[in-house]
mmCIF file of all heavy atoms in Angstrom:
data_model
loop_
_atom_site.group_PDB
_atom_site.id
_atom_site.type_symbol
_atom_site.label_atom_id
_atom_site.label_comp_id
_atom_site.label_asym_id
_atom_site.label_seq_id
_atom_site.Cartn_x
_atom_site.Cartn_y
_atom_site.Cartn_z
ATOM 1 N N LEU M 1568 10.343 -27.277 23.434
ATOM 2 C CA LEU M 1568 9.556 -28.517 23.316
ATOM 3 C C LEU M 1568 8.200 -28.381 24.024
ATOM 4 O O LEU M 1568 7.207 -28.964 23.584
ATOM 5 C CB LEU M 1568 10.334 -29.705 23.895
ATOM 6 C CG LEU M 1568 11.652 -30.049 23.159
ATOM 7 C CD1 LEU M 1568 12.356 -31.218 23.840
ATOM 8 C CD2 LEU M 1568 11.398 -30.356 21.695
ATOM 9 N N ALA M 1569 8.156 -27.601 25.097
ATOM 10 C CA ALA M 1569 6.874 -27.372 25.758
ATOM 11 C C ALA M 1569 5.993 -26.463 24.914
ATOM 12 O O ALA M 1569 4.761 -26.647 24.863
ATOM 13 C CB ALA M 1569 7.103 -26.751 27.136
ATOM 14 N N TYR M 1570 6.595 -25.510 24.226
ATOM 15 C CA TYR M 1570 5.821 -24.575 23.399
ATOM 16 C C TYR M 1570 5.169 -25.285 22.219
ATOM 17 O O TYR M 1570 4.048 -24.947 21.815
ATOM 18 C CB TYR M 1570 6.746 -23.449 22.900
ATOM 19 C CG TYR M 1570 6.074 -22.445 22.019
ATOM 20 C CD1 TYR M 1570 4.990 -21.695 22.474
ATOM 21 C CD2 TYR M 1570 6.527 -22.213 20.724
ATOM 22 C CE1 TYR M 1570 4.363 -20.762 21.669
ATOM 23 C CE2 TYR M 1570 5.915 -21.284 19.903
ATOM 24 C CZ TYR M 1570 4.834 -20.564 20.374
ATOM 25 O OH TYR M 1570 4.216 -19.642 19.566
ATOM 26 N N LEU M 1572 4.086 -28.346 22.159
ATOM 27 C CA LEU M 1572 3.613 -29.584 22.796
ATOM 28 C C LEU M 1572 2.718 -30.402 21.885
ATOM 29 O O LEU M 1572 2.750 -31.633 21.899
ATOM 30 C CB LEU M 1572 2.865 -29.242 24.077
ATOM 31 C CG LEU M 1572 2.738 -30.356 25.130
ATOM 32 C CD1 LEU M 1572 4.094 -30.736 25.685
ATOM 33 C CD2 LEU M 1572 1.809 -29.915 26.256
ATOM 34 N N TRP M 1581 4.402 -33.981 30.895
ATOM 35 C CA TRP M 1581 3.735 -32.907 31.616
ATOM 36 C C TRP M 1581 4.607 -32.331 32.705
ATOM 37 O O TRP M 1581 4.587 -31.132 32.961
ATOM 38 C CB TRP M 1581 2.410 -33.422 32.203
ATOM 39 C CG TRP M 1581 1.703 -32.374 33.014
ATOM 40 C CD1 TRP M 1581 1.413 -32.411 34.341
ATOM 41 C CD2 TRP M 1581 1.215 -31.117 32.543
ATOM 42 N NE1 TRP M 1581 0.761 -31.254 34.714
ATOM 43 C CE2 TRP M 1581 0.625 -30.440 33.622
ATOM 44 C CE3 TRP M 1581 1.212 -30.497 31.297
ATOM 45 C CZ2 TRP M 1581 0.054 -29.199 33.524
ATOM 46 C CZ3 TRP M 1581 0.643 -29.232 31.184
ATOM 47 C CH2 TRP M 1581 0.057 -28.577 32.284
ATOM 48 N N MET M 1583 7.684 -31.852 32.586
ATOM 49 C CA MET M 1583 8.567 -30.865 31.949
ATOM 50 C C MET M 1583 7.790 -29.631 31.529
ATOM 51 O O MET M 1583 8.240 -28.490 31.641
ATOM 52 C CB MET M 1583 9.250 -31.487 30.731
ATOM 53 C CG MET M 1583 10.169 -30.531 29.981
ATOM 54 S SD MET M 1583 10.580 -31.104 28.323
ATOM 55 C CE MET M 1583 9.048 -30.779 27.431
ATOM 56 N N ALA M 1584 6.562 -29.848 31.024
ATOM 57 C CA ALA M 1584 5.796 -28.768 30.438
ATOM 58 C C ALA M 1584 5.166 -27.847 31.464
ATOM 59 O O ALA M 1584 5.041 -26.638 31.257
ATOM 60 C CB ALA M 1584 4.738 -29.317 29.502
ATOM 61 N N LYS M 1585 4.731 -28.417 32.617
ATOM 62 C CA LYS M 1585 3.902 -27.623 33.528
ATOM 63 C C LYS M 1585 4.660 -26.471 34.183
ATOM 64 O O LYS M 1585 4.042 -25.522 34.677
ATOM 65 C CB LYS M 1585 3.293 -28.518 34.585
ATOM 66 C CG LYS M 1585 4.243 -29.063 35.623
ATOM 67 C CD LYS M 1585 3.490 -29.901 36.637
ATOM 68 C CE LYS M 1585 4.400 -30.442 37.751
ATOM 69 N NZ LYS M 1585 3.643 -31.267 38.707
ATOM 70 N N LYS M 1586 5.985 -26.526 34.178
ATOM 71 C CA LYS M 1586 6.757 -25.418 34.735
ATOM 72 C C LYS M 1586 6.583 -24.140 33.905
ATOM 73 O O LYS M 1586 6.895 -23.048 34.363
ATOM 74 C CB LYS M 1586 8.214 -25.772 34.857
ATOM 75 C CG LYS M 1586 8.926 -26.030 33.533
ATOM 76 C CD LYS M 1586 10.358 -26.499 33.746
ATOM 77 C CE LYS M 1586 11.239 -25.375 34.234
ATOM 78 N NZ LYS M 1586 12.677 -25.740 34.237
ATOM 79 N N TYR M 1587 6.071 -24.311 32.669
ATOM 80 C CA TYR M 1587 5.865 -23.162 31.797
ATOM 81 C C TYR M 1587 4.401 -22.710 31.801
ATOM 82 O O TYR M 1587 4.018 -21.827 31.030
ATOM 83 C CB TYR M 1587 6.305 -23.487 30.356
ATOM 84 C CG TYR M 1587 7.742 -23.906 30.294
ATOM 85 C CD1 TYR M 1587 8.094 -25.239 30.127
ATOM 86 C CD2 TYR M 1587 8.774 -22.971 30.442
ATOM 87 C CE1 TYR M 1587 9.418 -25.643 30.091
ATOM 88 C CE2 TYR M 1587 10.100 -23.355 30.411
ATOM 89 C CZ TYR M 1587 10.413 -24.704 30.244
ATOM 90 O OH TYR M 1587 11.737 -25.075 30.206
ATOM 91 N N GLN M 1588 3.601 -23.327 32.673
ATOM 92 C CA GLN M 1588 2.200 -22.922 32.751
ATOM 93 C C GLN M 1588 2.079 -21.573 33.436
ATOM 94 O O GLN M 1588 2.657 -21.340 34.495
ATOM 95 C CB GLN M 1588 1.376 -23.972 33.511
ATOM 96 C CG GLN M 1588 -0.130 -23.709 33.457
ATOM 97 C CD GLN M 1588 -0.934 -24.856 34.062
ATOM 98 O OE1 GLN M 1588 -0.463 -25.530 34.974
ATOM 99 N NE2 GLN M 1588 -2.135 -25.060 33.558
ATOM 100 N N ARG M 1589 1.344 -20.678 32.815
ATOM 101 C CA ARG M 1589 1.227 -19.321 33.340
ATOM 102 C C ARG M 1589 0.046 -19.226 34.296
ATOM 103 O O ARG M 1589 -0.757 -20.137 34.425
ATOM 104 C CB ARG M 1589 1.081 -18.333 32.180
ATOM 105 C CG ARG M 1589 2.300 -18.372 31.263
ATOM 106 C CD ARG M 1589 2.389 -17.216 30.344
ATOM 107 N NE ARG M 1589 3.641 -17.247 29.587
ATOM 108 C CZ ARG M 1589 3.983 -16.358 28.668
ATOM 109 N NH1 ARG M 1589 3.154 -15.372 28.384
ATOM 110 N NH2 ARG M 1589 5.144 -16.465 28.013
ATOM 111 N N ASN M 1591 -2.611 -17.725 34.062
ATOM 112 C CA ASN M 1591 -3.927 -17.835 33.435
ATOM 113 C C ASN M 1591 -4.257 -19.264 32.999
ATOM 114 O O ASN M 1591 -5.304 -19.528 32.424
ATOM 115 C CB ASN M 1591 -4.037 -16.883 32.233
ATOM 116 C CG ASN M 1591 -3.007 -17.178 31.141
ATOM 117 O OD1 ASN M 1591 -2.401 -18.247 31.080
ATOM 118 N ND2 ASN M 1591 -2.821 -16.209 30.249
ATOM 119 N N GLY M 1592 -3.327 -20.213 33.277
ATOM 120 C CA GLY M 1592 -3.569 -21.622 32.965
ATOM 121 C C GLY M 1592 -2.965 -22.075 31.658
ATOM 122 O O GLY M 1592 -2.906 -23.279 31.381
ATOM 123 N N SER M 1593 -2.511 -21.139 30.846
ATOM 124 C CA SER M 1593 -2.000 -21.521 29.514
ATOM 125 C C SER M 1593 -0.543 -21.942 29.568
ATOM 126 O O SER M 1593 0.162 -21.710 30.556
ATOM 127 C CB SER M 1593 -2.127 -20.329 28.565
ATOM 128 O OG SER M 1593 -1.110 -19.360 28.842
ATOM 129 N N LEU M 1594 -0.126 -22.541 28.465
ATOM 130 C CA LEU M 1594 1.300 -22.710 28.200
ATOM 131 C C LEU M 1594 1.690 -21.642 27.187
ATOM 132 O O LEU M 1594 1.179 -21.622 26.058
ATOM 133 C CB LEU M 1594 1.601 -24.096 27.612
ATOM 134 C CG LEU M 1594 1.352 -25.320 28.505
ATOM 135 C CD1 LEU M 1594 1.807 -26.581 27.811
ATOM 136 C CD2 LEU M 1594 2.062 -25.183 29.838
ATOM 137 N N PHE M 1595 2.508 -20.705 27.598
ATOM 138 C CA PHE M 1595 3.033 -19.653 26.716
ATOM 139 C C PHE M 1595 1.933 -18.808 26.069
ATOM 140 O O PHE M 1595 2.153 -18.231 25.002
ATOM 141 C CB PHE M 1595 3.883 -20.265 25.596
ATOM 142 C CG PHE M 1595 5.059 -21.065 26.089
ATOM 143 C CD1 PHE M 1595 4.946 -22.448 26.218
ATOM 144 C CD2 PHE M 1595 6.254 -20.464 26.419
ATOM 145 C CE1 PHE M 1595 6.015 -23.199 26.670
ATOM 146 C CE2 PHE M 1595 7.335 -21.218 26.850
ATOM 147 C CZ PHE M 1595 7.219 -22.595 26.996
ATOM 148 N N ASN M 1596 0.755 -18.721 26.681
ATOM 149 C CA ASN M 1596 -0.369 -18.011 26.061
ATOM 150 C C ASN M 1596 -0.713 -18.569 24.700
ATOM 151 O O ASN M 1596 -1.231 -17.869 23.816
ATOM 152 C CB ASN M 1596 -0.073 -16.499 25.938
ATOM 153 C CG ASN M 1596 -0.108 -15.789 27.267
ATOM 154 O OD1 ASN M 1596 -0.689 -16.278 28.245
ATOM 155 N ND2 ASN M 1596 0.523 -14.617 27.333
ATOM 156 N N SER M 1597 -0.441 -19.871 24.500
ATOM 157 C CA SER M 1597 -0.671 -20.532 23.214
ATOM 158 C C SER M 1597 -1.856 -21.477 23.329
ATOM 159 O O SER M 1597 -1.787 -22.504 24.014
ATOM 160 C CB SER M 1597 0.564 -21.317 22.790
ATOM 161 O OG SER M 1597 0.265 -22.238 21.765
ATOM 162 N N PRO M 1598 -2.993 -21.194 22.653
ATOM 163 C CA PRO M 1598 -4.149 -22.108 22.702
ATOM 164 C C PRO M 1598 -3.828 -23.510 22.186
ATOM 165 O O PRO M 1598 -4.342 -24.491 22.730
ATOM 166 C CB PRO M 1598 -5.172 -21.401 21.817
ATOM 167 C CG PRO M 1598 -4.858 -19.959 21.969
ATOM 168 C CD PRO M 1598 -3.353 -19.901 22.010
ATOM 169 N N SER M 1599 -2.991 -23.631 21.150
ATOM 170 C CA SER M 1599 -2.694 -24.956 20.599
ATOM 171 C C SER M 1599 -1.909 -25.796 21.605
ATOM 172 O O SER M 1599 -2.225 -26.964 21.847
ATOM 173 C CB SER M 1599 -1.947 -24.841 19.284
ATOM 174 O OG SER M 1599 -0.810 -24.021 19.405
ATOM 175 N N ALA M 1600 -0.859 -25.216 22.202
ATOM 176 C CA ALA M 1600 -0.082 -25.960 23.191
ATOM 177 C C ALA M 1600 -0.940 -26.282 24.419
ATOM 178 O O ALA M 1600 -0.852 -27.378 24.980
ATOM 179 C CB ALA M 1600 1.152 -25.148 23.599
ATOM 180 N N THR M 1601 -1.775 -25.337 24.806
ATOM 181 C CA THR M 1601 -2.643 -25.539 25.979
ATOM 182 C C THR M 1601 -3.690 -26.612 25.702
ATOM 183 O O THR M 1601 -4.013 -27.437 26.571
ATOM 184 C CB THR M 1601 -3.313 -24.225 26.379
ATOM 185 O OG1 THR M 1601 -2.328 -23.197 26.499
ATOM 186 C CG2 THR M 1601 -4.054 -24.356 27.691
ATOM 187 N N ALA M 1602 -4.210 -26.630 24.472
ATOM 188 C CA ALA M 1602 -5.174 -27.667 24.085
ATOM 189 C C ALA M 1602 -4.538 -29.040 24.129
ATOM 190 O O ALA M 1602 -5.147 -30.021 24.611
ATOM 191 C CB ALA M 1602 -5.714 -27.373 22.686
ATOM 192 N N ALA M 1603 -3.308 -29.155 23.647
ATOM 193 C CA ALA M 1603 -2.601 -30.446 23.684
ATOM 194 C C ALA M 1603 -2.356 -30.883 25.119
ATOM 195 O O ALA M 1603 -2.487 -32.065 25.467
ATOM 196 C CB ALA M 1603 -1.278 -30.332 22.929
ATOM 197 N N ALA M 1604 -2.016 -29.911 25.978
ATOM 198 C CA ALA M 1604 -1.772 -30.241 27.378
ATOM 199 C C ALA M 1604 -3.056 -30.733 28.054
ATOM 200 O O ALA M 1604 -3.038 -31.715 28.802
ATOM 201 C CB ALA M 1604 -1.233 -29.003 28.115
ATOM 202 N N PHE M 1605 -4.154 -30.064 27.774
ATOM 203 C CA PHE M 1605 -5.411 -30.508 28.397
ATOM 204 C C PHE M 1605 -5.854 -31.859 27.858
ATOM 205 O O PHE M 1605 -6.333 -32.731 28.621
ATOM 206 C CB PHE M 1605 -6.509 -29.472 28.172
ATOM 207 C CG PHE M 1605 -7.833 -29.891 28.755
ATOM 208 C CD1 PHE M 1605 -7.991 -29.969 30.142
ATOM 209 C CD2 PHE M 1605 -8.885 -30.260 27.941
ATOM 210 C CE1 PHE M 1605 -9.185 -30.388 30.700
ATOM 211 C CE2 PHE M 1605 -10.096 -30.681 28.500
ATOM 212 C CZ PHE M 1605 -10.246 -30.744 29.868
ATOM 213 N N PHE M 1608 -3.382 -34.342 29.605
ATOM 214 C CA PHE M 1608 -3.134 -34.352 31.060
ATOM 215 C C PHE M 1608 -4.324 -33.833 31.886
ATOM 216 O O PHE M 1608 -4.239 -33.818 33.094
ATOM 217 C CB PHE M 1608 -1.891 -33.509 31.362
ATOM 218 C CG PHE M 1608 -0.695 -33.912 30.544
ATOM 219 C CD1 PHE M 1608 -0.153 -33.042 29.610
ATOM 220 C CD2 PHE M 1608 -0.133 -35.173 30.676
ATOM 221 C CE1 PHE M 1608 0.934 -33.401 28.833
ATOM 222 C CE2 PHE M 1608 0.963 -35.548 29.900
ATOM 223 C CZ PHE M 1608 1.496 -34.665 28.981
ATOM 224 N N CYS M 1613 -5.588 -25.426 32.330
ATOM 225 C CA CYS M 1613 -5.607 -25.356 30.858
ATOM 226 C C CYS M 1613 -7.042 -25.171 30.352
ATOM 227 O O CYS M 1613 -7.299 -24.344 29.468
ATOM 228 C CB CYS M 1613 -5.020 -26.627 30.261
ATOM 229 S SG CYS M 1613 -3.247 -26.848 30.571
ATOM 230 N N TYR M 1616 -8.365 -21.678 30.953
ATOM 231 C CA TYR M 1616 -7.790 -20.730 29.979
ATOM 232 C C TYR M 1616 -8.524 -20.824 28.644
ATOM 233 O O TYR M 1616 -8.945 -19.795 28.072
ATOM 234 C CB TYR M 1616 -6.294 -21.014 29.781
ATOM 235 C CG TYR M 1616 -5.700 -20.305 28.577
ATOM 236 C CD1 TYR M 1616 -5.392 -18.940 28.626
ATOM 237 C CD2 TYR M 1616 -5.452 -20.991 27.395
ATOM 238 C CE1 TYR M 1616 -4.848 -18.292 27.530
ATOM 239 C CE2 TYR M 1616 -4.903 -20.352 26.298
ATOM 240 C CZ TYR M 1616 -4.599 -19.004 26.364
ATOM 241 O OH TYR M 1616 -4.062 -18.358 25.269
ATOM 242 N N TYR M 1632 -2.757 -15.416 23.082
ATOM 243 C CA TYR M 1632 -3.692 -14.614 23.875
ATOM 244 C C TYR M 1632 -3.345 -14.788 25.363
ATOM 245 O O TYR M 1632 -3.078 -15.894 25.796
ATOM 246 C CB TYR M 1632 -5.146 -15.026 23.629
ATOM 247 C CG TYR M 1632 -6.122 -14.225 24.444
ATOM 248 C CD1 TYR M 1632 -6.518 -12.967 24.028
ATOM 249 C CD2 TYR M 1632 -6.594 -14.714 25.671
ATOM 250 C CE1 TYR M 1632 -7.389 -12.217 24.811
ATOM 251 C CE2 TYR M 1632 -7.455 -13.945 26.457
ATOM 252 C CZ TYR M 1632 -7.835 -12.702 26.010
ATOM 253 O OH TYR M 1632 -8.670 -11.947 26.774
ATOM 254 N N LYS M 1809 3.711 -19.968 15.770
ATOM 255 C CA LYS M 1809 3.468 -21.291 15.207
ATOM 256 C C LYS M 1809 2.574 -21.177 13.985
ATOM 257 O O LYS M 1809 2.480 -22.124 13.201
ATOM 258 C CB LYS M 1809 2.852 -22.214 16.253
ATOM 259 C CG LYS M 1809 3.862 -22.710 17.264
ATOM 260 C CD LYS M 1809 3.289 -23.707 18.236
ATOM 261 C CE LYS M 1809 2.378 -23.077 19.240
ATOM 262 N NZ LYS M 1809 1.943 -24.025 20.297
#
Side-chain angles (χ1 to χ4, degrees):
L1568 297 179
Y1570 179 60
L1572 201 65
W1581 178 243
M1583 179 196 75
K1585 71 178 182 181
K1586 64 185 289 189
Y1587 302 104
Q1588 188 172 30
R1589 299 195 175 178
N1591 60 17
S1593 76
L1594 294 185
F1595 302 96
N1596 288 340
S1597 165
S1599 53
T1601 308
F1605 178 69
F1608 308 114
C1613 293
Y1616 167 77
Y1632 179 81
K1809 284 185 287 187

